[in-house]
């Protein structure tokens, strides 16, 4: 075989494609390894564990079929309430966080004095430790007259005596939701990036057509922000049933009377307090299924809205 023929065979299209495939697999293999070791294998193990009565004394336990799932749906009202509380928090936190994030992004996107300071200020709760931020909220909801919220309301004459905001069944949940909504800095950052990517020609055309500020927002800004909104909603939905653990654990511990307990805290307690590893794994699988259903259902609807915006 001549040198030219050998070179042609070596660099044939099929050979080039195989080389590119090997190079591609070489790039993604480390990520696939990490996902397999830390996501796929633990997920399969948790599903298998959910069908057992495993605890730290008899691990990996005895196969009990669907008993753990039946226990959750038939008599574990505390875990059911925790799941309801989590869904309620997500239903309120996600839209309120979007509203506050969008409002903050619109404000700091304007040529206002001190906007850099406010940009960093809105991001501090997100960048900081969730435990540290929750400790700051404890100072806000302090039940004595020295608590920030009680002090302000007493001075304004709205209340007559200090309130135990985190110790009252009626006010504990709203207080936790306020603490969670306060972390809207990430949403603000996404919206701010999207706002700065909107072509100025669209606003100029709207002004030529006589559009005011509200019409510009309704027909130009909001449609252009739909992809960012889709990303935020799907991202939040995917983590909706995991959110709130840090805030609830630090602020209320799930009380009073399980009024603020979330499903992630119930999973933690069943695994590490009550030593019911199999049952805790079953709760985790339930959370996974509910999260997948919510994300796929609402995410598909929002994606169509984002696509139709253009």
């Amino acid at each position: 075989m001549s040198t030219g023929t050998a070179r042609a065979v070596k660099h044939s299209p099929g050979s080039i494609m195989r080389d590119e495939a090997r190079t591609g697999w070489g790039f993604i293999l480390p990520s696939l390894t990490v996902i397999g070791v830390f996501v796929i294998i633990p997920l399969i193990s948790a599903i298998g564990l959910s069908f057992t009565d495993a605890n730290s004394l008899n691990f990996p336990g005895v196969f009990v079929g669907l008993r753990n799932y039946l226990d959750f749906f038939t008599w574990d009202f505390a875990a059911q309430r925790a799941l309801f509380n989590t869904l309620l928090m997500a239903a309120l936190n996600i839209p309120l966080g979007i509203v506050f994030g969008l409002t903050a992004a619109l404000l700091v996107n304007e040529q206002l004095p001190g906007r850099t300071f406010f940009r960093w200020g809105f991001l501090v709760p997100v960048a900081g430790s969730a435990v540290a931020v929750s400790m700051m909220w404890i100072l806000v909801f302090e039940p004595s007259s020295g608590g920030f919220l009680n002090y302000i309301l007493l001075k304004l004459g709205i209340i007559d005596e200090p309130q135990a905001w985190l110790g009252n069944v009626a006010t504990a949940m709203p207080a936790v939701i306020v603490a969670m909504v306060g972390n809207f800095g990430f949403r603000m950052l996404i919206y701010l990036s999207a706002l700065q990517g909107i072509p100025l020609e669209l606003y100029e055309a709207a002004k030529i057509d006589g559009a005011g500020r509200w019409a510009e927002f309704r027909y130009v800004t909001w449609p252009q922000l739909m992809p960012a909104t889709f990303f935020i909603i799907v991202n939040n939905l995917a983590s909706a049933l995991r959110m709130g653990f840090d805030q609830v654990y630090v602020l209320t511990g799930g009380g009073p009377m399980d009024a603020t307990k979330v499903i992630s805290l119930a999973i933690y307690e069943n695994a590490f307090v009550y030593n019911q590893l199999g049952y805790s794994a079953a709760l985790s699988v339930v959370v996974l299924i509910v999260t997948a259903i919510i994300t796929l259902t609402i995410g598909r609807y929002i994606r169509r809205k984002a696509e139709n915006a253009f």
Side-chain angles (χ1 to χ4, degrees):
M1 181 181 295
S2 64
T3 305
T5 304
R7 188 180 296 113
V9 173
K10 183 178 180 181
H11 298 287
S12 64
S15 176
I16 294 174
M17 292 180 64
R18 286 192 295 271
D19 291 340
E20 292 178 349
R22 282 193 292 266
T23 303
W25 279 107
F27 279 117
I28 67 174
L29 187 58
S31 298
L32 291 178
T33 302
V34 172
I35 293 174
V37 172
F38 294 102
V39 177
I40 304 301
I41 294 178
L43 176 61
I44 296 175
S45 300
I47 294 174
L49 197 65
S50 69
F51 296 105
T52 69
D53 64 349
N55 57 57
S56 61
L57 301 178
N58 72 337
F59 193 86
V62 178
F63 181 79
V64 294
L66 297 175
R67 191 181 73 185
N68 291 328
Y69 296 95
L70 294 175
D71 288 346
F72 169 72
F73 288 106
T74 55
W75 66 265
D76 193 353
F77 302 111
Q80 293 176 16
R81 181 172 185 179
L83 180 58
F84 172 79
N85 288 341
T86 308
L87 293 173
L88 177 62
M89 287 183 180
L92 295 175
N93 177 46
I94 294 176
L96 288 175
I98 288 176
V99 171
F100 281 101
L102 177 58
T103 303
L106 291 171
L107 290 175
V108 299
N109 193 49
E110 298 290 333
Q111 297 295 330
L112 299 176
R115 65 173 184 169
T116 302
F117 169 79
F118 286 103
R119 286 182 181 180
W120 284 104
F122 290 138
L123 285 174
V124 167
V126 181
S129 167
V131 174
V133 174
S134 298
M135 294 297 294
M136 295 175 62
W137 282 105
I138 288 180
L139 299 178
V140 174
F141 297 119
E142 171 66 33
S144 68
S145 59
F148 180 79
L149 183 58
N150 279 328
Y151 178 80
I152 296 296
L153 296 180
L154 286 170
K155 287 295 183 181
L156 295 175
I158 298 177
I159 58 176
D160 299 324
E161 58 183 14
Q163 302 294 316
W165 303 102
L166 297 174
N168 190 313
V169 175
T171 58
M173 176 67 79
V176 172
I177 292 175
V178 168
M180 294 174 64
V181 173
N183 298 332
F184 60 82
F186 172 74
R187 302 176 180 93
M188 180 209 71
L189 192 63
I190 298 299
Y191 275 130
L192 182 60
S193 176
L195 284 171
Q196 295 178 348
I198 298 177
L200 296 178
E201 293 82 0
L202 297 178
Y203 291 106
E204 294 173 356
K207 289 179 180 178
I208 292 175
D209 292 337
R213 295 297 297 270
W214 169 247
E216 285 184 3
F217 174 80
R218 181 179 179 183
Y219 296 107
V220 177
T221 305
W222 181 241
Q224 294 291 319
L225 293 179
M226 284 302 295
T229 305
F230 169 70
F231 170 78
I232 292 172
I233 291 177
V234 172
N235 180 272
N236 281 253
L237 287 174
S239 60
L241 297 190
R242 301 195 308 271
M243 66 172 57
F245 177 86
D246 301 325
Q247 291 88 346
V248 169
Y249 189 83
V250 174
L251 292 174
T252 65
M257 299 177 62
D258 292 339
T260 60
K261 179 178 286 188
V262 290
I263 192 63
S264 54
L265 181 59
I267 293 172
Y268 167 81
E269 289 180 345
N270 278 281
F272 301 107
V273 178
Y274 308 133
N275 195 26
Q276 299 295 325
L277 300 180
Y279 183 67
S280 177
L283 293 181
S284 301
V285 175
V286 171
V287 169
L288 174 64
I289 295 173
V290 174
T291 301
I293 293 173
I294 293 175
T295 304
L296 293 175
T297 303
I298 301 181
R300 186 180 296 110
Y301 172 77
I302 298 298
R303 183 178 61 187
R304 287 200 300 266
K305 286 289 186 180
E307 293 173 349
N308 294 335
F310 295 95

